[in-house]
Amino acid sequence: MNHFELRVQAIGAVKVAHLYFDLKNEKVNKFNREVMEEFGNLITTLEQKGKAGEIDALILFSKKPGNFIAGADIQLILSAKNAAEATELARAGQNLLNRWEDLTFATVVAINGTCMGGGCELSLASSAIVMSNDPQARIGLPETLLGIIPGMGGCVRMPWKVGIAQAFDLILSGKTLVGEKAFKVGLADACLQKENFEATAITWVITNIEKLKRRERIGREPALGGMGGAMGKLLESPLMRAIIYKKAREGVLAKTKGQYPSPLEAIKVIQEIGTHYQANFRGVKRDQALIAEAEGFGRMAATDVSKNCIKLFFLTEGVKKANGLTDGKTVETKKITSGAVLGAGVMGGGIAQLLADKGITVRMKDIQNTGLEIGVQSALALFKKSLKRRAITERQFQQKLNRIAPTTTYDGFQSAEVVIEAVIEKMEVKQAVLKELENFVHDDCVIATNTSSLSVTKMQSVMRKPERFCGMHFFNPVHKMPLVEVIRGEKSSDLAVSQVFQFSKQIGKTPIVVKDSPGFLVNRLLMPYLTEAGIMLSSGVRIEEMDPALLKFGMPMGPIELIDEVGLDVGDKVGKILNDAFGERMTPPNTFEKLLELKRLGKKTNAGFYVYVGEKKIKQLEPNIYSIIGVTPIANKIDAQEIVDRCVLIMINEAARCLDEKVVETAQDVDLGMIMGTGFPPFRGGLLRYADSIGVKKIIERLKELETKYGMRFKPSEALLKIASGTGSFYS
Ligand SMILES: NC(=O)c1ccc[n+]([C@@H]2O[C@H](COP(=O)([O-])OP(=O)(O)OC[C@H]3O[C@@H](n4cnc5c(N)ncnc54)[C@H](O)[C@@H]3O)[C@@H](O)[C@H]2O)c1
């Protein structure tokens, strides 16, 4: 199949080759085996044309709207059985890009959409990179986010093009840059208007043809650590480089706590490459550098971390294609442009801010002006932060803020396509509000509730059109937490569920569909985890041992800190609901009562188990915490592994029940929910991938030991026993 199309045309005296990439039957361009082969043959043709003097410059375009090249096909990476095979794979890709780089005419990539990984590496091997100013045109090397490192020359050519410091900034974070920013740091050689981009890019090439032929840098010299200028030379001195490597390593360790090997490997490889590359780095030195890179790539591709990160990537890709319905059902949903939020408190304010940020006009209604004021102020604070970080311009700041219309009436609700209810957590209040709301909205309006613990089915029972209603459970803080649980009530229509599912994606969230049952998925799993921490604490296990044990396991924070973050009052409420629903195994510990009495509710009151000092809320363990809660701490009462087992295995046991009761459909849903909703360590692949890595039978043995020691809450569930006697794993 022809995925590339080549046309050579004389423009004035310049022979310009237009090359179009359009991977057939796919939404995005990527390098899979077939494309690599065709690209190799194409380069052979280009080499011949180059020798024959038939081309002066080539411009590569993509025919995919919004996408230039998504990168190498990740399945290809997964297909490598070991480090040596992965290294070979990288070498094959590198060889192709070397041949591309060595073409005797100028090669220019004209990027008007996402250009990631292998696409960015092809761009770096080209004579120049031209980008459009369309916000969709983004370039970057996200490999470390997948647990690998760039393996087709990215580690070699990125530092060469933008300097080591800037290359680290891109490679270690996996972030992408829009055209203007890419131009500013010297990665793109030009950033052109998105209107008539193709024609403008051709004109740019013709204008710069002499420089391109001489392989001169056209874009800016990199500001820091680049090859050019006296300052650049200084920054590239061995001493400065050593400092940059050290700082980069420290930064990575602080961020990842050493749990992700790939950014460290990238630093190591770039450090090694540093000894191989010089101003003229083509030729032998290039090969030595590339071999170092390919070997690093091979080492990383063989790790469990990269396999788990890649599987997680496929999970999120799966969500992109899903519509929230099962059995292949489809309904027609629409892109939302106008919405409304009821209740302007912590969550309502956060949701309104998010909608406005994503370009949706939003009415935000509360019964009191003080509520509205809180909502507006919290949105304002977030937009101000973006402005300060220069993530948005002053104009965008105003536009975003203007999209939120605070109100105490239902004026304007007629035009809302979606309304999200986020009033206080009381069934009577919510039912009354929903009944009232239906008098003011359009018949097609979809209504969702952000309840975290009440029955969606019960709520919709009072509605005139209950089918238009479902749950849309955001997590706090809304702008940070990526998960939305879409709750299907008994009367929720496919349309309502699918519309809210698609809408969640539209505003940048990852949705999972969950059955209407107490605690839905995430809170039902999280509560036993927090409860167990409370029980351990009351038995004398020290917070100073418990929180670090779970941090080391990879959780973003320890369970006691998380209780502070959630709020002791919120936890207490949800805990009681789950205790009512599931009985003894979810009995809340008494450790929290004293703090509740003292109104030490956690971070929001600047005091819980920890105290939060100053404007930055610096966290310190309350010095008198044990006497306040009436516990005698006992150092090393149990070891770190037992702390982790008690907290994590209890969740696995509960997750098995959730699957059995069809709270969610698949193990994938559980893993996505836990990673996106609680920050469960992605490098472990999720709660149930972690379970599979230990083995369900082993987990059952361990649960039985814990049951003997600590009680029935650890009793292996029927659902878990069923899995053990069946396939023996959650994923097969
Ligand atoms: N806070 C969290 O961490 C969290 C997380 C997920 C979901 N939730 C859910 O979100 C909802 C709101 O929680 P919150 O923490 O934002 O509460 P909140 O107390 O901060 O805000 C509730 C707001 O609703 C307003 N309100 C009350 N009655 C109203 C009415 N009839 N019409 C309009 N506004 C009314 C109140 O004045 C208040 O401003 C609850 O259902 C809660 O369970 C909360």
Side-chain angles (χ1 to χ4, degrees):
M1 204 175 282
N2 275 356
H3 304 296
F4 292 94
E5 188 189 317
L6 178 69
R7 263 186 276 136
V8 184
Q9 185 192 359
I11 303 179
V14 186
K15 286 164 263 173
V16 181
H18 300 65
L19 181 61
Y20 295 91
F21 186 8
D22 187 9
L23 180 59
K24 298 288 172 315
N25 305 322
E26 292 276 355
K27 270 194 181 157
V28 295
N29 288 327
K30 55 189 169 191
F31 286 116
N32 57 24
R33 253 182 229 291
E34 194 186 321
V35 170
M36 299 283 263
E37 204 183 313
E38 194 185 324
F39 192 56
N41 294 336
L42 175 77
I43 294 178
T44 308
T45 308
L46 292 174
E47 283 163 347
Q48 287 158 1
K49 288 192 181 294
K51 271 198 199 123
E54 291 173 27
I55 300 175
D56 295 316
L58 173 146
I59 314 177
L60 174 61
F61 297 103
S62 157
K63 280 200 169 174
K64 303 282 185 207
N67 166 261
F68 184 68
I69 299 173
D73 185 351
I74 293 168
Q75 289 290 1
L76 210 61
I77 300 166
L78 271 187
S79 72
K81 287 192 207 72
N82 49 40
E85 274 193 34
T87 303
E88 268 315 297
L89 205 62
R91 289 296 287 153
Q94 290 175 345
N95 289 338
L96 267 188
L97 296 195
N98 285 349
R99 288 176 60 205
W100 174 264
E101 184 173 56
D102 294 341
L103 286 169
T104 48
F105 47 81
T107 48
V108 178
V109 285
I111 300 170
N112 196 16
T114 45
C115 176
M116 315 286 262
C120 177
E121 289 172 304
L122 169 69
S123 307
L124 286 164
S126 307
S127 321
I129 299 174
V130 170
M131 290 180 73
S132 98
N133 66 350
D134 190 312
Q136 285 199 74
R138 303 191 72 96
I139 188 165
L141 292 169
E143 284 84 347
T144 54
L145 299 178
L146 294 177
I148 49 176
I149 64 168
M152 293 207 295
C155 293
V156 179
R157 296 187 179 97
M158 186 61 94
W160 180 69
K161 182 125 200 201
V162 302
I164 288 175
Q166 184 62 49
F168 277 157
D169 188 41
L170 289 168
I171 293 172
L172 304 184
S173 68
K175 72 177 166 195
T176 56
L177 302 179
V178 292
E180 278 159 20
K181 195 80 207 278
F183 175 67
K184 207 166 157 197
V185 302
L187 173 54
D189 297 271
C191 176
L192 308 175
Q193 290 295 326
K194 61 182 179 208
E195 292 79 19
N196 295 322
F197 176 65
E198 196 170 318
T200 326
I202 295 168
T203 309
W204 185 90
V205 170
I206 305 287
T207 313
N208 290 288
I209 190 68
E210 290 311 318
K211 278 185 177 175
L212 285 167
K213 276 188 188 164
R214 292 196 299 269
R215 306 243 165 197
E216 279 177 27
R217 178 186 279 274
I218 302 176
R220 290 171 167 224
E221 288 290 339
L224 249 187
M227 298 298 289
M231 190 58 169
K233 288 222 166 61
L234 176 68
L235 283 162
E236 289 289 318
S237 68
L239 178 69
M240 282 312 287
R241 277 195 202 176
I243 293 172
I244 294 174
Y245 296 140
K246 185 166 173 278
K247 286 259 166 258
R249 207 167 276 120
E250 284 167 2
V252 166
L253 283 172
K255 209 167 145 197
T256 66
K257 302 173 201 92
Q259 283 148 340
Y260 291 83
S262 62
L264 293 174
E265 182 73 21
I267 298 171
K268 185 171 145 226
V269 163
I270 290 173
Q271 190 163 2
E272 193 180 336
I273 288 168
T275 62
H276 292 304
Y277 87 78
Q278 298 168 343
N280 172 15
F281 90 132
R282 284 161 212 282
V284 181
K285 296 272 183 189
R286 176 180 75 179
D287 259 358
Q288 286 169 346
L290 287 171
I291 288 168
E293 179 191 73
E295 287 173 351
F297 174 86
R299 279 192 291 275
M300 288 302 101
T303 59
D304 284 343
V305 170
S306 83
K307 293 199 163 67
N308 282 335
C309 291
I310 288 173
K311 281 174 192 152
L312 176 62
F313 170 79
F314 284 126
L315 277 189
T316 52
E317 286 299 292
V319 173
K320 281 186 196 158
K321 289 180 197 140
N323 66 359
L325 304 177
T326 50
D327 305 327
K329 278 191 275 186
T330 53
V331 289
E332 205 170 312
T333 57
K334 58 183 170 191
K335 195 169 171 219
I336 303 298
T337 56
S338 156
V341 175
L342 282 178
V346 176
M347 297 304 285
I351 297 166
Q353 187 272 339
L354 176 69
L355 266 52
D357 190 43
K358 301 294 175 187
I360 298 163
T361 54
V362 51
R363 301 233 143 217
M364 179 172 72
K365 178 181 181 301
D366 205 294
I367 42 171
Q368 32 185 349
N369 281 320
T370 46
L372 287 176
E373 189 54 28
I374 294 172
V376 171
Q377 284 307 326
S378 60
L380 184 67
L382 285 174
F383 289 137
K384 269 193 179 157
K385 240 185 188 173
S386 302
L387 185 66
K388 209 168 155 200
R389 275 191 292 120
R390 303 225 181 118
I392 54 173
T393 61
E394 182 74 42
R395 189 158 160 258
Q396 287 168 325
F397 167 81
Q398 276 309 333
Q399 279 171 340
K400 284 176 195 279
L401 203 57
N402 290 346
R403 286 193 193 112
I404 303 178
T407 170
T408 50
T409 71
Y410 283 102
D411 285 354
F413 270 60
Q414 262 292 324
S415 59
E417 294 154 307
V418 170
V419 179
I420 302 156
E421 170 280 308
V423 305
I424 49 169
E425 189 76 339
K426 284 212 171 102
M427 182 59 82
E428 322 77 81
V429 177
K430 292 207 188 257
Q431 283 183 333
V433 164
L434 290 169
K435 262 169 108 170
E436 186 179 71
L437 170 71
E438 276 193 303
N439 298 322
F440 297 93
V441 291
H442 199 270
D443 264 1
D444 294 337
C445 175
V446 170
I447 303 174
T449 172
N450 182 44
T451 181
S452 42
S453 59
L454 301 175
S455 161
V456 171
T457 300
K458 198 165 169 200
M459 235 179 270
Q460 73 189 157
S461 68
V462 300
M463 291 175 71
R464 188 165 50 82
K465 284 168 68 84
E467 67 280 3
R468 62 157 79 174
F469 182 73
C470 66
M472 187 178 192
H473 183 211
F474 289 88
F475 290 76
N476 187 16
V478 175
H479 68 286
K480 272 203 185 141
M481 299 297 290
L483 186 71
V484 166
E485 289 179 319
V486 179
I487 321 293
R488 185 186 261 280
E490 266 170 27
K491 290 195 174 154
S492 306
S493 66
D494 283 348
L495 179 63
V497 170
S498 193
Q499 179 65 71
V500 169
F501 190 88
Q502 301 292 26
F503 177 48
S504 303
K505 289 193 274 179
Q506 186 191 328
I507 54 178
K509 298 293 176 195
T510 303
I512 55 170
V513 177
V514 184
K515 195 170 99 174
D516 184 23
S517 74
F520 309 132
L521 176 77
V522 170
N523 284 342
R524 175 159 167 194
L525 297 186
L526 198 59
M527 203 42 72
Y529 168 86
L530 299 179
T531 299
E532 197 51 36
I535 295 173
M536 277 193 264
L537 179 56
S538 56
S539 75
V541 180
R542 294 163 69 233
I543 298 171
E544 299 93 319
E545 290 171 41
M546 222 182 321
D547 274 0
L550 269 307
L551 266 176
K552 187 141 184 265
F553 175 77
M555 298 301 282
M557 62 181 77
I560 300 293
E561 188 188 350
L562 182 57
I563 294 168
D564 267 6
E565 194 76 28
V566 170
L568 277 107
D569 52 342
V570 175
D572 182 56
K573 222 172 185 176
V574 180
K576 281 185 180 136
I577 287 169
L578 291 178
N579 188 207
D580 285 349
F582 302 113
E584 196 185 337
R585 72 171 193 270
M586 298 238 190
T587 309
N590 52 18
T591 343
F592 306 147
E593 276 163 19
K594 191 69 201 168
L595 294 185
L596 278 166
E597 243 173 61
L598 293 170
K599 295 259 177 284
R600 293 181 65 120
L601 302 180
K603 201 171 182 182
K604 61 183 163 194
T605 55
N606 295 326
F609 292 96
Y610 291 86
V611 283
Y612 300 85
V613 185
E615 214 174 291
K616 287 200 168 152
K617 297 207 170 201
I618 310 266
K619 175 190 71 141
Q620 292 161 7
L621 189 62
E622 160 63 53
N624 300 316
I625 190 64
Y626 298 108
S627 60
I628 293 175
I629 58 176
V631 164
T632 310
I634 306 161
N636 303 316
K637 182 155 197 253
I638 54 174
D639 66 21
Q641 186 58 51
E642 184 138 327
I643 293 174
V644 169
D645 283 354
R646 285 175 69 172
C647 286
V648 178
L649 301 193
I650 208 164
M651 289 197 284
I652 294 172
N653 205 17
E654 197 60 34
R657 292 189 183 99
C658 287
L659 282 173
D660 196 49
E661 294 167 26
K662 295 217 168 298
V663 172
V664 286
E665 291 286 324
T666 61
Q668 279 93 330
D669 289 334
V670 173
D671 282 346
L672 257 188
M674 291 305 284
I675 293 171
M676 302 294 178
T678 72
F680 191 90
F683 70 89
R684 296 197 185 273
L687 182 68
L688 299 183
R689 284 242 183 246
Y690 172 66
D692 277 359
S693 75
I694 303 175
V696 173
K697 288 206 169 98
K698 264 199 172 158
I699 290 176
I700 290 175
E701 277 167 33
R702 183 75 178 124
L703 281 170
K704 283 182 180 161
E705 281 170 28
L706 295 173
E707 184 190 357
T708 313
K709 268 172 125 172
Y710 302 113
M712 67 73 63
R713 63 184 182 282
F714 287 104
K715 189 175 179 340
S717 62
E718 286 301 317
L720 195 65
L721 294 169
K722 236 186 335 192
I723 291 169
S725 61
T727 59
S729 106
F730 282 100
Y731 269 89
S732 55

